[in-house]
Amino acid sequence: MSQLSTVDATFLHAETGTTHAHIAGLGIVDAGTCPGGRLTVPLVAELVRGRAHLAARPLRQRLVQVPLGLDHPYWEDDPDFEPERHITEIGLPSPGTDRQLADIVAMLHEQPLDRSRPLWEMVLIQGLLGGRTAVYVKVHHAAIDGVMAAETLAALLDLSPEPRDLPADETAPARAPGTAGMLGTGLLRAALHPVRSALSVARTAPYLDEIPGLASIPGVGLMSSAVQGALRRPGTPRTPRKSAPPTPFNRPIGRRRSVACGELPLDEIKQIRRGLGGSVNDVVMALCATALRKWLDKRGDLPDRPLVAAVPVSLRRRGAAAEPGNQVSIMTTTLATHIPDPADRYTAVRRDMDVAKRRFVGSSGSWVREMSGILPAPIAGAVTRFALQAAPAISLRPVNLLISNVPGPQFPLYLCGAKVLGYYPISVVSDVSGGLNITVFSYDGRVDVGIVACRDLIPDPSEIVDHLVDALDELKDLSREALGED
């Protein structure tokens, strides 16, 4: 038995008519080595049936609501769980281009998940050029975070075309408490909530300037420093007030989505890191800064100050992937899109990322967990949805976009015998986080890029992928100069 954490519940509450809080991945596989040479629904369903116990929450557990909404929901094994109910198959019309695939994935990503059953769906997309098959997998963020997503993939994928031997499922089905138990626990938590809420406020006070949106308010930084001093805590690096400038993708989002995918060679990114210094993530952020600068400048919308990016960070301890609930926070950093010189831009990105990381480590990044628990469960959903829907009306713009870098395995993986050729993450956009999300996933020597946007604001994000490729060439030239190479 397990219950949603306050962070898990926030992902449920965040859904509105234009925002859905699921995350997804698009795998491209070579199905030629599958039994029969084709990846089919029965084949994948049998795989999921035999391995669902290895990742029970995202695959076979459903939500159980507490009466009267008195407390956050619970998870329990779905007694009617059938993988076939979650897996469908469609075909692309000829010629099966990557652009057709992106349009289909965008439409699939627009649809909410059915909360009456386990919160995931899989769609096999046949008919791609070259005989490839695409696998679109969507899971609600309330059920999974980045580390848990990697664990779920590991449960379903193999290191060779031959499936590995796995132990049988000997676990007892998880069940939610009865009505009386849920009500009793809910009433107790409601009675204790004022104390817990006050403690959350107190723990958050020293780091108010880390919270997107609040950081741009005059005086918040000084207040946070004063609280740290009063508590005699060692100071953490001060960051300039971050005010997200207006951009075309920071307008109210609509229901429709647009998607683009691309890939960059990981060895070339590592070469840039060796030549210019920093980390792989610094290079990724610099590539995004250059690509966004070009995209905005082309439209005459380039701000004269840096963009503000939200960067998801896992709080999950090493070896603790089985810990329940989302263990995730947000780090904010400026993105030096306003600097014209590529070398100076890279230096600024490295500097800003270093300050943001040191600030995040010093504060433990716990503000997401603390803030999500301030409101009592019965009103948290209504207040969260109201705030999200009111954000466009009051021009609330805490950040410009989300950028995430997820490290993956550097060896090939197989699904039902089919080799996974690439895996492109497709994430979330909202009025608060911005109508653009760039997520990259390193896999088998490549960095796979997944971009999702509000179609009303960015109809064709493939242009940003093209700019990322150009930005890579630009940084490669700088790196060669730095290394003294011709």
Side-chain angles (χ1 to χ4, degrees), residues 164-401:
R164 64 191 188 276
D165 293 328
L166 292 169
D169 181 12
E170 298 180 353
T171 59
R175 292 287 178 258
T179 300
M182 288 192 289
L183 287 174
T185 301
L187 288 170
L188 177 61
R189 286 182 173 156
L192 296 176
H193 186 269
V195 175
R196 293 201 309 271
S197 181
L199 290 173
S200 291
V201 171
R203 286 191 289 262
T204 305
Y207 309 111
L208 286 175
D209 57 343
E210 186 182 337
I211 302 173
L214 291 183
S216 64
I217 299 176
V220 167
L222 291 175
M223 183 172 66
S224 294
S225 297
V227 174
Q228 289 182 37
L231 296 175
R232 296 184 179 179
R233 294 184 180 178
T236 55
R238 288 290 306 278
T239 57
R241 287 196 291 120
K242 305 181 186 73
S243 176
T247 74
F249 43 83
N250 292 115
R251 297 165 184 160
I253 69 170
R255 297 174 181 269
R256 302 187 65 200
R257 298 292 176 262
S258 55
V259 165
C261 299
E263 54 275 331
L264 304 169
L266 181 58
D267 60 343
E268 294 184 6
I269 290 178
K270 290 181 175 179
Q271 173 193 328
I272 293 168
R273 179 197 64 185
R274 289 191 296 268
L276 301 181
S279 65
V280 167
N281 193 51
D282 291 337
V283 178
V284 169
M285 296 298 289
L287 293 173
C288 291
T290 299
L292 291 168
R293 173 183 170 84
K294 291 182 177 180
W295 189 90
L296 290 164
D297 192 38
K298 183 178 179 179
R299 288 157 178 77
D301 288 314
L302 180 64
D304 58 2
R305 64 180 191 270
L307 300 187
V308 178
V311 182
V313 179
S314 175
L315 301 180
R316 202 173 290 277
R317 300 190 305 274
R318 185 180 298 275
E323 286 185 358
N326 274 270
Q327 307 286 332
V328 67
S329 187
I330 296 290
M331 177 178 74
T332 56
T333 182
T334 50
L335 203 61
T337 51
H338 63 307
I339 297 179
D341 181 75
D344 292 343
R345 191 184 315 124
Y346 186 85
T347 299
V349 168
R350 278 193 61 193
R351 180 195 64 232
D352 294 343
M353 283 295 293
D354 180 65
V355 172
K357 284 184 284 188
R358 288 191 290 121
R359 170 67 178 166
F360 185 86
V361 170
S363 67
S364 80
S366 63
W367 69 265
V368 171
R369 181 177 63 248
E370 301 294 355
M371 292 294 289
S372 67
I374 287 178
L375 293 173
I379 66 169
V383 172
T384 300
R385 285 187 292 274
F386 174 78
L388 289 172
Q389 291 169 346
I394 61 175
S395 299
L396 176 63
R397 192 171 54 246
V399 298
N400 291 111
L401 77 159

Side-chain angles (χ1 to χ4, degrees), residues 4 62-66 72-76 115 176-177 182:
L4 274 72
R62 65 179 182 181
L63 293 171
V64 178
Q65 301 292 336
V66 176
H72 299 309
Y74 287 80
W75 296 106
E76 73 168 11
R115 293 194 183 184
M182 288 192 289

